[in-house]
Amino acid sequence: MEDRPITTQGLKDTHTQSDADASVLQIWGKHPLKGHVNISGAKNSALTIIAASLLCPQDCRIRNVPNLVDVKRMEQILAALGVKIEHHGNVLDINASTISHSKAPYEIVSQLRASFFIIGPLLARLGVARIPLPGGCTIGARPVDLHVRGLQAMGADVQIEHGIVHAYVTGGQRKLRGAKIYLDYPSVGATETIMMAATLAEGETTIENAAQEPEVVDLANFCQALGARIRGAGTNTITIAGVPSLHSTDYAINPDRIEAGTFLVAGAITHSEISLSPVVPEHLTAVIAKLQATGAQIITESSDCLRILPGDTIKATDIETLPYPGFPTDMQAQFMALLTLSEGNSLITETVFENRMRHVAELNRMGADIRIKGNHALVRGVSMLSGAPVVATDLRASAALVLAGLAAEGKTIIQCLHHLDRGYEHIEAKLLALGAKLERIPAVGDISGVCLTNDPVLSEKD
Ligand code: UD1
């Protein structure tokens, strides 16, 4: 692949936050769905794999990259560091042969928590990285402490001054050193940060109690395609033998298990039969088990295609979110929407993130009966939901409201669509093709104030 001009072509293809928030999504519920959905590439894999491309001084081609606001933001961060980046459809070409800045721009980092994940590759490649703390974090704050401690164990000096994390490696070669690192919690981001940093370190790094999420495995596979030496990704012990440098690759990202799970719930909540591909069924084991518990049947049509056959009724079931292979926190809101229409009571327990139940108030506005106590939600099944104006408070909350709107009597109007646009590629087109009745229209009057009251720190978990 030859040198290309610096461009972030394609950035305009996606709705901006203010465009999205000047629109609303109207959904007329109770229309049955039918047909097939194509599942996009995984957002969370794309974000870290784009960050990991900073490790490589040659061309990287990444395929199956979803066109999403979050992905565009990550591209903008790389472009601001001086990296050449071009986006054509779902293919991203990145050349990080020159990284002219080691400081990420605050304006973008503050809007995308995952952008902090560039700290590992920048440090490994340049021996220095300066990243503003993701919005709202305080010194030693929980959300990045495991990343920071891992990098310190590898010999980095990490200081937090004026809201900026300054990380640097001293010594002639400015190289990180392999280390044995135990994570107090199997954090996905910390596992990824340490794994990326360790690819170019001197010696071997072991991560104990590592996250086992499919996106960690996707990142490890990408790094291995670049020439990194990684063993054990997908288990709780990952070993990385540092190599002196990495090389060019062409890599396709896995399908998005959370988008797939969301469409399976769309089938269940509307009592519709739909199929989806490509998917990796093993990535959806916990989601499939819980859908079966609610009475749906999930058929594996082929190694990468699933079909949902809905039950006559939705049965209640309890759910507890856990690190993979447990039930994913990123599917909690969507299942809560489903269980509002179940026969019986369900207890939903959120153990991964604090403050991830802001969709409850909106679902209750649609006639659901949900009570929160601490990190538990008691969902008492009701016989129907009714369409209402509602506000999306985070990405998966917005998906839950779309699902509730598809099943509700009458019209649901969802505001603050920038959350939805962060994580679902072409969601309206995909739902319309299945027979849903919905449209995005300009909001009447100025509703930007409604969305501004959404605290980005509370709302952005994934
Ligand atoms: C990733 C996913 C997100 C998913 C989450 C859990 C991306 C971009 N996002 O987020 O969609 O919901 O995994 O599956 O991949 N924590 C700490 N200290 C740290 C890091 C995390 O205490 O240094 C805590 C967090 O506050 C949270 C929990 O650990 O309560 C899980 O966070 P983590 O697994 O790191 O999630 P992310 O990588 O941020």
Side-chain angles (χ1 to χ4, degrees):
M1 284 181 266
E2 75 285 7
D3 268 2
R4 291 171 299 262
I6 297 177
T7 162
T8 50
Q9 185 188 326
L11 290 176
K12 292 195 196 76
D13 297 346
T14 312
H15 304 287
T16 64
Q17 175 162 338
S18 51
D19 286 347
D21 288 344
S23 309
V24 296
L25 188 63
Q26 301 196 125
I27 304 178
W28 290 266
K30 294 263 171 214
H31 289 269
L33 309 182
K34 192 174 167 41
H36 185 83
V37 196
N38 285 317
I39 300 302
S40 298
K43 170 185 80 90
N44 287 347
S45 291
L47 293 176
T48 38
I49 285 174
I50 294 170
S53 67
L54 288 168
L55 291 165
C56 174
Q58 298 175 359
D59 288 314
C60 293
R61 174 160 284 181
I62 310 170
R63 298 176 195 271
N64 206 24
V65 178
N67 280 301
L68 295 170
V69 171
D70 275 7
V71 170
K72 300 298 168 201
R73 287 187 180 138
M74 193 59 113
E75 291 173 26
Q76 285 171 326
I77 290 181
L78 263 62
L81 298 176
V83 169
K84 295 175 190 165
I85 183 157
E86 251 190 272
H87 203 145
H88 311 278
N90 293 108
V91 178
L92 198 55
D93 283 325
I94 301 179
N95 181 300
S97 53
T98 309
I99 302 176
S100 44
H101 301 282
S102 57
K103 183 175 172 202
Y106 173 74
E107 309 72 52
I108 310 174
V109 173
S110 62
Q111 294 179 56
L112 177 66
R113 223 177 68 75
S115 59
F116 187 78
F117 300 179
I118 65 172
I119 193 167
L122 269 188
L123 202 52
R125 184 78 193 283
L126 305 179
V128 56
R130 288 175 299 151
I131 322 281
L133 275 172
C137 294
T138 50
I139 293 175
R142 263 190 91 215
V144 293
D145 59 346
L146 299 173
H147 302 239
V148 169
R149 287 216 297 268
L151 295 172
Q152 285 170 330
M154 298 173 75
D157 196 324
V158 186
Q159 312 283 344
I160 302 172
E161 282 166 13
H162 308 295
I164 296 182
V165 181
H166 297 257
Y168 47 94
V169 194
T170 48
Q173 300 272 314
R174 307 196 84 180
K175 279 210 155 229
L176 290 163
R177 292 186 306 275
K180 210 168 167 50
I181 297 164
Y182 169 80
L183 293 178
D184 287 343
Y185 182 88
S187 152
V188 175
T191 301
E192 293 172 337
T193 289
I194 297 165
M195 189 163 76
M196 289 188 275
T199 57
L200 293 175
E202 268 171 6
E204 192 170 274
T205 300
T206 308
I207 312 173
E208 304 276 8
N209 199 26
Q212 302 176 46
E213 267 69 1
E215 294 74 27
V216 172
V217 179
D218 216 0
L219 174 66
N221 288 339
F222 172 73
C223 291
Q224 280 175 299
L226 293 173
R229 290 173 54 204
I230 301 174
R231 293 194 317 271
T235 74
N236 61 4
T237 304
I238 304 179
T239 307
I240 307 108
V243 295
S245 65
L246 298 173
H247 56 69
S248 179
T249 195
D250 186 328
Y251 184 83
I253 287 173
N254 272 337
D256 195 312
R257 65 191 168 105
I258 305 301
E259 187 197 15
T262 303
F263 275 101
L264 287 173
V265 176
I269 201 170
T270 59
H271 298 278
S272 306
E273 182 180 331
I274 59 176
S275 60
L276 24 118
S277 71
V279 292
V280 182
E282 310 81 83
H283 294 172
L284 287 155
T285 303
V287 166
I288 290 173
K290 282 298 165 190
L291 281 167
Q292 288 166 335
T294 67
Q297 273 187 67
I298 311 292
I299 315 282
T300 305
E301 298 248 290
S302 67
S303 60
D304 74 344
C305 181
L306 291 176
R307 176 177 296 275
I308 175 161
L309 304 179
D312 295 335
T313 57
I314 299 166
K315 298 194 187 101
T317 185
D318 294 344
I319 288 179
E320 181 173 343
T321 65
L322 288 169
Y324 190 86
F327 186 89
T329 173
D330 290 351
M331 286 299 302
Q332 179 255 106
Q334 299 91 315
F335 267 77
M336 194 182 294
L338 175 65
L339 294 171
T340 61
L341 288 168
S342 69
E343 286 182 344
N345 299 339
S346 310
L347 185 67
I348 300 185
T349 306
E350 173 59 60
T351 74
V352 177
F353 282 108
E354 289 166 21
N355 227 319
R356 203 178 195 180
M357 294 225 178
R358 298 207 303 158
H359 39 279
V360 167
E362 302 305 304
L363 290 170
N364 282 345
R365 284 161 63 81
M366 297 177 71
D369 180 354
I370 311 169
R371 289 180 198 187
I372 301 187
K373 190 153 191 211
N375 62 337
H376 303 285
L378 177 63
V379 184
R380 295 195 172 105
V382 294
S383 58
M384 62 168 270
L385 295 175
S386 36
V390 286
V391 175
T393 49
D394 69 36
L395 168 55
R396 306 306 168 185
S398 58
L401 296 176
V402 171
L403 294 168
L406 293 172
E409 299 276 355
K411 185 165 79 172
T412 296
I413 303 173
I414 306 178
Q415 303 178 14
C416 304
L417 296 178
H418 76 271
H419 294 296
L420 189 64
D421 295 339
R422 285 188 41 230
Y424 288 92
E425 187 181 48
H426 308 314
I427 187 166
E428 285 128 83
K430 290 182 183 185
L431 286 169
L432 283 168
L434 290 176
K437 197 164 170 224
L438 74 168
E439 79 179 323
R440 188 185 289 237
I441 57 161
V444 178
D446 179 9
I447 62 163
S448 54
V450 177
C451 302
L452 286 176
T453 59
N454 278 337
D455 180 339
V457 180
L458 289 177
S459 62
E460 199 197 319
K461 304 293 186 207
D462 66 328

